[in-house]
Amino acid sequence: MSLFQKIKETIRENFGFLSIAVVLFWLKTYLAYNIEFSLGVEGVYQHFLLLINPIASTLFIFGLSLFFSNSKSRYRALLVLYFLNSLLLFSNILYYREFSDFITVKTIMGSSAMMNGLGPGVFEMFSWHDIFYWVDFFAVTYLYRKKRSILTQEPQIKKRLAVGTLVTALLIFFANLSLAEIDRPQLLTRTFDRNYIVKYLGVNVYTLYDGVQTAKANSVRASADSSDMAPVLDYVDSHFASPNPATFGQAEGRNVVYIHLESMQQFLIDLEMREESGEVSAVTPFLNELYHSADSYSFSNFFHQTAQGKTSDAELLLDNSLFGLPQGSAFTQLGSDNTFQAGPQILKSLGYSSAVFHGNVGSFWDRDNVYKSMGYDYFFSSETSYTLTPENSLEYGLKDKLFFQESVQYLEQMEQPFYSKFITVSNHFPFPADEMNTVFDIPDTSDDTINGYFNTVHYADEALAEFFQYMKDSGLYDNTVFVLYGDHFGISNSRNRTLAPLIGRNPNLWGDYHNAMVQRVPFIVHVPGIGTGGINDTYGGQVDVLPTVLHLLGIDTKSHIQVGQDLLSKERDDVVVFRNGNVITPEYVSLGTNVYETVTGRNIFVDEELTPELYNEIAAIREAGQQQLYISDQILNGDLLRFYTPANFERVDKSQISYLNSPFQLQADLAEMGIKSTSLISEKDNVSTVPLYQTDAPEFPGNQLVDEPLAESRENEAAAEDTKQQN
Ligand code: GP9
Ligand code: MN
């Protein structure tokens, strides 16, 4: 027998059945991807990854059957594995039809709860074409039965071949992962979205990954007990900064509107740029106006404190006064399981309703689960609540102008007072040029990301101005407190030298100190009518927001577990710690082993001025920062809030919250309130305020249509004028 024939024979004998099974399952999975899931696959590259991603895990799982000693049990094992893997896929298909999400290991563990969630509707979820997800299983079973009689005599497979198959599967997996990382760096370390893992690596890998994450989180959680709360309570008690009597309760009873300013940095405030025309224009005219308003508490030394969890870290910090994790995102790793005592739930006992508005898919950062833990009543996301078209949306969802406009139909129906959060997306990396919305002459540096940034920022600023105008026109403005914050940097450290000249800095003198100081983000609390605002130079960060806002609303936070301090309190320690342990105070910037003078940026360490006294002082500042992070990590990792309930606080009951159809839920709740409703629309005798909303967004239905005839009619007028003159 020639070598070639020998190889062919080996493959046929040992791998024939396995290959058929792998190919069938692969095709079935790919079919399901295309028919059942909306994974947001774009472009040839992503389609290619989607096509190949089932191969590695299928080969690995089915390859396990090769370890059985005789061919009969090998075939049987393969059938069992085929069945189980089909079951996993099919369960995900059914689950996705109901929840637009993939099953987590937690859900599988508590499957009775999941079934309860599905209720009697479970049979309605089947579709006639589901048969295709099982015919292949019957086909392989049939094949097995046909061959059964001759199986037992077949020789035992060599261990080498079995191991080789698994190694091949692993190699394919790593190739797949590397290709995925090119398109989506940090796919597994940051975990943005379950959809992403499935899109790039497949359902099996997602399930395994989720299982490992869950096991890790569970083991830490399981080893924690109520005694771990003692140091936390000590810390919170000794760091409590009493509210400032002058501002405490200044916004009592008002609606709260948080505006998440995607990727906005503080250097934008008051920044002017010379446009090509020679005209000097402000990049963020509207934010500047708010920043300088006497009705705003504005902060000039406010830092973001996010890490890999980016937006989700910012949200966690803002709503809970707790830090994100050193690696990954606390939202995706712990958020749906942990007990939280977040802003919306704290305010619930005071009669507040709550909602998040976001024009992207609900699964991003696992928001559709995490928000429940935080007590949000409604979550308006792109699948349920907004109309997205290729024209009006970007990679991360609906463009800001349309997003705000489409949101107010829900806002006006919410019971007042409300706690709401609007998460913008237009100003998201890579700040793509959007021809329809290029209104600002962008700078012309060598870096397109930086150039685009100023235009998308300017666009977001305009969107904000439109939203505020609506708030005024609808009458909501006066009874609302607005909390605007930048979530994290938009321009990364590697680009800062190119940015430097645009913000009046010398790129040659740019260093670590500047990279740290440029992490300042806007933070403005706008309380219409107070007149006592101003620009505050205190050093603070996102962790300090919740106590600041709650105190303005007149809420006592003494018994709450929050690691930040009220930014308006006279008692606060001016220490800002970054997630990596670096610290900034009004005097010093401590970055690793380097120490700088905060105001001048002089490197004290290099200049050998680091006296023993100063060294101790810096060590103490760093220690304070470390402790704040440590306490926060203890709370999150140990899920310690389950052991403690603050005064006047009702625990979140997640079973009462569903975001499957928030617009419908909102309407139903409004109807139930009847004449007792305090919503804006009820105040206006059920006349909607939506028509009051003015937007110049070119994508807004109507705006384009107006443009065309207008241009045409101008042309006609000009033509008529010409004719007149000629006559
Ligand atoms: C996605 C958006 C962006 O929905 O909030 O998150 P980010 O990439 O900035 O963390
Ligand atoms: Mn963000």
Side-chain angles (χ1 to χ4, degrees):
M1 215 191 314
S2 76
L3 181 68
F4 179 67
Q5 267 177 331
K6 226 170 141 184
I7 295 174
K8 232 171 94 176
E9 200 59 13
T10 321
I11 292 179
R12 202 183 59 80
E13 291 232 323
N14 300 303
F15 295 108
F17 194 48
L18 179 71
S19 314
I20 293 171
V22 170
V23 170
L24 278 178
F25 196 84
W26 170 21
L27 293 179
K28 168 163 80 173
T29 314
Y30 187 65
L31 188 77
Y33 285 166
N34 285 292
I35 299 180
E36 308 292 343
F37 310 132
S38 23
L39 297 170
V41 184
E42 277 166 16
V44 184
Y45 194 78
Q46 290 190 2
H47 273 285
F48 172 70
L49 286 175
L50 188 76
L51 175 72
I52 62 155
N53 83 37
I55 303 176
S57 64
T58 310
L59 183 62
F60 191 93
I61 294 172
F62 293 178
L64 291 173
S65 66
L66 297 175
F67 286 90
F68 283 82
S69 58
N70 64 59
S71 55
K72 193 165 183 180
S73 38
R74 276 206 304 274
Y75 275 55
R76 277 198 193 142
L78 183 53
L79 279 187
V80 172
L81 291 168
Y82 202 102
F83 175 78
L84 292 177
N85 212 357
S86 300
L87 193 64
L88 177 69
L89 179 67
F90 191 62
S91 312
N92 271 295
I93 291 172
L94 291 187
Y95 192 79
Y96 203 93
R97 280 181 199 157
E98 185 67 17
F99 300 109
S100 303
D101 202 352
F102 294 95
I103 303 180
T104 61
V105 171
K106 279 177 303 228
T107 319
I108 299 173
M109 304 293 218
S111 61
S112 61
M114 167 185 150
M115 284 310 180
N116 286 343
L118 295 177
V122 70
F123 291 106
E124 280 156 33
M125 287 159 43
F126 290 99
S127 150
W128 67 267
H129 74 253
D130 288 346
I131 189 77
F132 289 116
Y133 298 119
W134 292 102
V135 274
D136 54 324
F137 174 68
F138 295 118
V140 281
T141 313
Y142 174 75
L143 263 181
Y144 161 73
R145 290 181 78 90
K146 255 184 81 179
K147 281 195 102 183
R148 192 164 48 177
S149 54
I150 50 159
L151 285 178
T152 24
Q153 289 80 30
E154 280 193 27
Q156 191 175 330
I157 198 163
K158 292 208 175 70
K159 272 261 153 55
R160 263 189 304 134
L161 285 179
V163 173
T165 309
L166 298 198
V167 172
T168 311
L170 286 177
L171 289 176
I172 300 174
F173 170 73
F174 284 114
N176 183 167
L177 181 62
S178 319
L179 292 175
E181 286 273 336
I182 294 172
D183 201 47
R184 178 54 72 174
Q186 300 178 303
L187 178 66
L188 292 184
T189 40
R190 289 186 58 202
T191 338
F192 316 85
D193 190 336
R194 287 194 244 290
N195 275 310
Y196 283 35
I197 301 191
V198 174
K199 172 162 88 174
Y200 288 107
L201 304 174
V203 178
N204 291 333
V205 176
Y206 154 70
T207 308
L208 177 74
Y209 178 80
D210 181 60
V212 172
Q213 295 285 351
T214 310
K216 271 206 284 192
N218 282 352
S219 73
V220 181
R221 188 179 279 132
S223 61
D225 62 42
S226 57
S227 66
D228 295 323
M229 260 317 273
V232 173
L233 287 167
D234 270 357
Y235 178 87
V236 171
D237 203 45
S238 56
H239 285 79
F240 181 73
S242 303
N244 184 335
T247 54
F248 186 81
Q250 246 187 337
E252 194 176 331
R254 291 199 192 207
N255 297 316
V256 185
V257 169
Y258 276 85
I259 298 178
H260 181 106
L261 303 169
E262 178 59 46
S263 301
M264 291 237 192
Q265 289 173 255
Q266 177 70 8
F267 64 72
L268 294 164
I269 303 287
D270 291 340
L271 182 67
E272 289 187 329
M273 284 201 164
R274 185 176 295 278
E275 298 196 59
E276 239 171 64
S277 59
E279 204 180 317
V280 176
S281 312
V283 184
T284 55
F286 182 71
L287 271 180
N288 299 349
E289 197 187 299
L290 277 188
Y291 185 74
H292 292 286
S293 158
D295 288 348
S296 297
Y297 293 111
S298 302
F299 295 84
S300 58
N301 290 307
F302 180 86
F303 292 80
H304 82 81
Q305 294 168 300
T306 66
Q308 288 179 329
K310 301 295 282 286
T311 285
S312 66
D313 281 355
E315 290 190 58
L316 184 90
L317 280 149
L318 268 281
D319 273 343
N320 300 278
S321 190
L322 292 173
F323 288 89
L325 298 174
Q327 269 98 37
S329 156
F331 258 45
T332 53
Q333 288 177 33
L334 308 166
S336 58
D337 260 352
N338 270 24
T339 301
F340 288 100
Q341 289 155 7
Q345 188 66 18
I346 295 174
L347 289 172
K348 194 162 278 176
S349 62
L350 291 159
Y352 274 73
S353 65
S354 55
V356 180
F357 299 82
H358 185 46
N360 193 13
V361 291
S363 58
F364 205 99
W365 289 131
D366 205 15
R367 287 181 171 110
D368 46 8
N369 288 308
V370 182
Y371 287 159
K372 289 183 194 164
S373 312
M374 298 193 181
Y376 279 104
D377 296 325
Y378 311 101
F379 175 26
F380 302 100
S381 63
S382 63
E383 303 103 318
T384 60
S385 315
Y386 298 93
T387 321
L388 272 72
T389 64
E391 196 184 47
N392 75 10
S393 54
L394 302 153
E395 188 183 352
Y396 293 94
L398 191 59
K399 296 180 190 175
D400 292 349
K401 284 187 183 172
L402 302 134
F403 161 65
F404 280 117
Q405 193 280 333
E406 281 199 42
S407 296
V408 303
Q409 59 181 312
Y410 307 122
L411 191 68
E412 68 172 5
Q413 295 180 61
M414 285 187 63
E415 292 303 313
Q416 301 186 69
F418 50 71
Y419 180 100
S420 60
K421 170 157 68 174
F422 293 79
I423 305 174
T424 63
V425 297
S426 286
N427 185 45
H428 194 287
F429 179 81
F431 319 112
D434 174 2
E435 261 171 41
M436 261 188 242
N437 289 297
T438 303
V439 280
F440 190 75
D441 255 348
I442 53 176
D444 190 19
T445 70
S446 55
D447 186 335
D448 279 343
T449 301
I450 292 183
N451 300 343
Y453 182 65
F454 292 92
N455 189 54
T456 44
V457 163
H458 188 74
Y459 171 84
D461 185 74
E462 286 186 348
L464 213 59
E466 291 181 354
F467 176 63
F468 268 72
Q469 192 54 50
Y470 160 81
M471 292 300 279
K472 288 180 184 163
D473 294 343
S474 67
L476 281 173
Y477 179 74
D478 289 329
N479 192 34
T480 297
V481 45
F482 297 87
V483 185
L484 296 96
Y485 65 97
D487 63 342
H488 48 72
F489 63 80
I491 305 300
S492 62
N493 285 350
S494 60
R495 302 177 192 273
N496 279 342
R497 275 177 209 271
T498 317
L499 171 78
L502 297 174
I503 58 172
R505 298 268 163 200
N506 182 344
N508 302 321
L509 300 178
W510 191 278
D512 291 344
Y513 161 82
H514 303 90
N515 281 336
M517 297 308 278
V518 86
Q519 302 309 319
R520 278 183 277 212
V521 292
F523 182 58
I524 304 169
V525 185
H526 185 66
V527 198
I530 50 162
T532 53
I535 297 168
N536 189 322
D537 296 329
T538 188
Y539 279 72
Q542 290 165 329
V543 77
D544 301 316
V545 172
L546 185 62
T548 311
V549 173
L550 290 178
H551 288 167
L552 274 169
L553 294 170
I555 294 158
D556 179 6
T557 63
K558 189 94 179 83
S559 72
H560 285 280
I561 307 298
Q562 296 166 356
V563 302
Q565 294 177 319
D566 182 349
L567 291 161
L568 295 166
S569 165
K570 297 233 173 344
E571 292 177 8
R572 58 175 277 108
D573 317 316
D574 274 8
V575 180
V576 188
V577 65
F578 291 121
R579 185 57 258 196
N580 61 9
N582 286 336
V583 184
I584 298 187
T585 71
E587 291 82 32
Y588 305 110
V589 176
S590 158
L591 306 178
T593 51
N594 275 310
V595 183
Y596 305 82
E597 216 170 52
T598 304
V599 179
T600 60
R602 214 159 47 87
N603 189 328
I604 302 172
F605 189 75
V606 171
D607 294 350
E608 286 173 17
E609 285 171 30
L610 201 57
T611 58
E613 293 76 42
L614 195 52
Y615 182 88
N616 288 338
E617 198 181 329
I618 304 292
I621 296 167
R622 283 192 80 90
E623 175 54 33
Q626 284 298 345
Q627 210 198 351
Q628 197 185 20
L629 292 172
Y630 172 77
I631 293 292
S632 176
D633 289 348
Q634 289 289 102
I635 297 170
L636 271 196
N637 291 326
D639 187 18
L640 297 185
L641 295 182
R642 69 192 145 135
F643 301 122
Y644 174 86
T645 308
N648 304 322
F649 181 83
E650 201 181 305
R651 284 175 166 267
V652 178
D653 180 1
K654 284 204 279 184
S655 68
Q656 295 299 311
I657 309 173
S658 161
Y659 304 138
L660 291 176
N661 195 343
S662 280
F664 177 78
Q665 186 65 49
L666 179 68
Q667 258 173 13
D669 292 346
L670 183 65
E672 203 185 309
M673 289 303 285
I675 51 161
K676 282 196 296 206
S677 169
T678 56
S679 67
L680 178 66
I681 194 162
S682 305
E683 281 176 1
K684 307 257 175 200
D685 294 330
N686 295 326
V687 178
S688 171
T689 59
V690 174
L692 298 176
Y693 204 103
Q694 301 281 327
T695 173
D696 67 4
E699 306 86 346
F700 184 67
N703 283 0
Q704 283 153 312
L705 298 174
V706 171
D707 268 9
E708 279 307 304
L710 200 77
E712 253 172 50
S713 73
R714 284 213 186 111
E715 264 168 38
N716 291 346
E717 267 169 37
E721 194 63 27
D722 280 354
T723 341
K724 243 201 298 188
Q725 275 170 12
Q726 276 165 22
N727 290 340

